[in-house]
Amino acid sequence: MTSRPFIALLAVSVLALAGCSSAPALTDDDAAALATLAEVAGPTSNVDPATITRTECWLPSEHLIDDPSVSSTTWKVLCRTHYVDDSGDRYQDATCVGDFALTPMLDHCYRWAFYTGMPHFEDFPGVEAGG
């Protein structure tokens, strides 16, 4: 027989895990940036658009560039475009610099590879780009 305290602990654990896995609430700026990133990140880093299954990016509002030489609305994120080719499921990372104040916020990203000591995609949680 299962005890009530165990069931209560299980319910709290499930709710806590569900909260951890849910996507953050997006601002209008972040939603617009992520929609643009979904269209731009993969194709401009040489991924065939027909093969893309999804794109995830760092949240732009959490990666504003703190540099007086650029606008306070400028951000830099990494995106990971997932795609399928003859060898199976693959991904390509891209670095993308955009600006919330511009239209469009960005028009290209660059293929990116991790170098020792640099931030990489796994350093920050990804947010599904596009809709």
Side-chain angles (χ1 to χ4, degrees):
M1 179 174 205
T2 305
S3 68
R4 287 181 186 222
F6 176 76
I7 292 173
L9 177 62
L10 181 62
V12 168
S13 298
V14 167
L15 290 173
L17 288 174
C20 291
S21 65
S22 63
L26 298 180
T27 65
D28 290 344
D29 282 345
D30 278 328
L34 290 167
T36 302
L37 287 162
E39 295 175 8
V40 171
T44 62
S45 59
N46 298 323
V47 177
D48 178 0
T51 66
I52 295 173
T53 57
R54 68 187 177 100
T55 299
E56 56 185 328
C57 302
W58 292 351
L59 194 60
S61 63
E62 291 183 6
H63 293 88
L64 294 172
I65 298 175
D66 185 20
D67 183 333
S69 68
V70 298
S71 166
S72 63
T73 55
T74 303
W75 43 266
K76 179 180 180 181
V77 297
L78 289 181
C79 290
R80 177 164 286 172
T81 298
H82 298 265
Y83 65 99
V84 177
D85 68 10
D86 292 339
S87 65
D89 292 333
R90 308 284 307 224
Y91 66 83
Q92 173 61 52
D93 289 341
T95 184
C96 306
V97 178
D99 191 324
F100 287 128
L102 299 178
T103 303
M105 289 184 202
L106 76 158
D107 61 5
H108 63 277
C109 297
Y110 302 94
R111 286 178 68 101
W112 184 87
F114 169 71
Y115 296 96
T116 303
M118 291 180 63
H120 51 99
F121 195 82
E122 288 79 15
D123 287 348
F124 297 95
V127 177
E128 193 74 25

